Amino acid sequence: MNDSPRGRLIVISGPSGVGKTSVVAELIAPTGSVFSVSATTRAARPGEIDGREYHFVDRVTFQQMIARGEILEWAEYGGNLYGTPRQSVLPILESGRNVILDIENEGAKQLRASYPSAVLIFIAPPDLETLEERLKGRGDTSALDISLRLDLAAHQIAEAESFYDHLVENVDVEETVAQILDILDNDGASATIH
Ligand code: 5GP
């Protein structure tokens, strides 16, 4: 796959409950980016709308999308499949706009291989206790899911240092957004897709 000549690919990863959704939402306008809407086999949570947070599909449909080459990267997470549709990324980059992806580590690794010039940013919680409190407070995740996600988070954080370009600790959303904007300003050359 060729790197796109135009927009910038901005990958934001981090454990579930770390506050990525709020951070990503606040990065869209100042970075002039489009959010890449992923496909997933997980059920929609209350308040989520098909086509806005995710394209909610069943496993057969997801596998057909992979077989047709419509998925740029994908991974299994917490028993569900998640993947980035090509259509959510390539036309945007080609039009010269930036794309922000909210994806987990395996997907980030795959994109790093395909798009060496992508900028990979990992958002970490101050500590696992804070993450647990946030997951519980969200009220949309079962106890079993919370313990599964905490295990996954510990694993993700442990491996993040080895391949992300930047790690940002999310204590306060505004502060985290400001730090990421700084990173993007100062990382322009390496992050721009040539
Ligand atoms: P959630 O179920 O909490 O919305 O997301 C679970 C995890 O899946 C998060 O870490 C999120 O970043 C990741 N994720 C969402 N979309 C994609 C995708 O398209 N590809 C990959 N690899 N991970 C994704």
Side-chain angles (χ1 to χ4, degrees):
M1 191 188 312
N2 293 324
D3 261 9
S4 159
R6 312 284 282 278
R8 193 178 200 193
L9 197 61
I10 304 164
V11 175
I12 306 283
S13 294
S16 200
V18 78
K20 266 176 309 176
T21 309
S22 316
V23 170
V24 166
E26 295 210 18
L27 283 170
I28 298 288
T31 56
S33 300
V34 174
F35 176 66
S36 162
V37 179
S38 296
T40 184
T41 61
R42 119 157 134 59
R45 296 188 186 122
E48 288 183 334
I49 293 176
D50 189 31
R52 189 179 67 182
E53 280 80 11
Y54 286 105
H55 301 290
F56 295 100
V57 299
D58 59 29
R59 256 182 195 255
V60 172
T61 306
F62 195 99
Q63 272 147 2
Q64 286 168 346
M65 291 169 83
I66 296 173
R68 287 197 296 259
E70 293 171 10
I71 299 287
L72 265 187
E73 62 70 35
W74 66 275
E76 183 148 11
Y77 182 95
N80 295 302
L81 303 178
Y82 294 84
T84 303
R86 271 172 198 281
Q87 280 304 312
S88 296
V89 173
L90 300 185
I92 317 287
L93 291 178
E94 278 156 18
S95 77
R97 277 181 301 168
N98 302 326
V99 178
I100 297 191
L101 299 97
D102 167 352
I103 62 176
E104 53 66 73
N105 290 18
E106 289 311 311
K109 281 183 201 164
Q110 291 173 45
L111 281 185
R112 162 63 86 220
S114 314
Y115 293 91
S117 54
V119 59
L120 267 53
I121 299 172
F122 187 87
I123 304 184
D127 49 60
L128 284 178
E129 290 70 30
T130 309
L131 192 65
E132 184 172 2
E133 288 314 311
R134 286 186 192 162
L135 281 170
K136 284 182 179 160
R138 216 158 69 168
D140 62 3
T141 314
S142 70
L144 178 66
D145 248 21
I146 289 176
S147 89
L148 190 70
R149 279 163 191 256
L150 283 173
D151 285 350
L152 282 169
H155 175 74
Q156 281 180 311
I157 295 164
E159 72 167 14
E161 285 207 17
S162 62
F163 70 94
Y164 281 87
D165 299 314
H166 305 277
L167 263 72
V168 179
E169 198 172 282
N170 185 29
V171 178
D172 168 76
V173 172
E174 300 309 321
E175 179 56 28
T176 301
V177 168
Q179 282 186 42
I180 294 176
L181 291 176
D182 264 4
I183 287 169
L184 294 172
D185 277 351
N186 295 319
D187 196 9
S190 63
T192 301
I193 295 176
H194 305 289

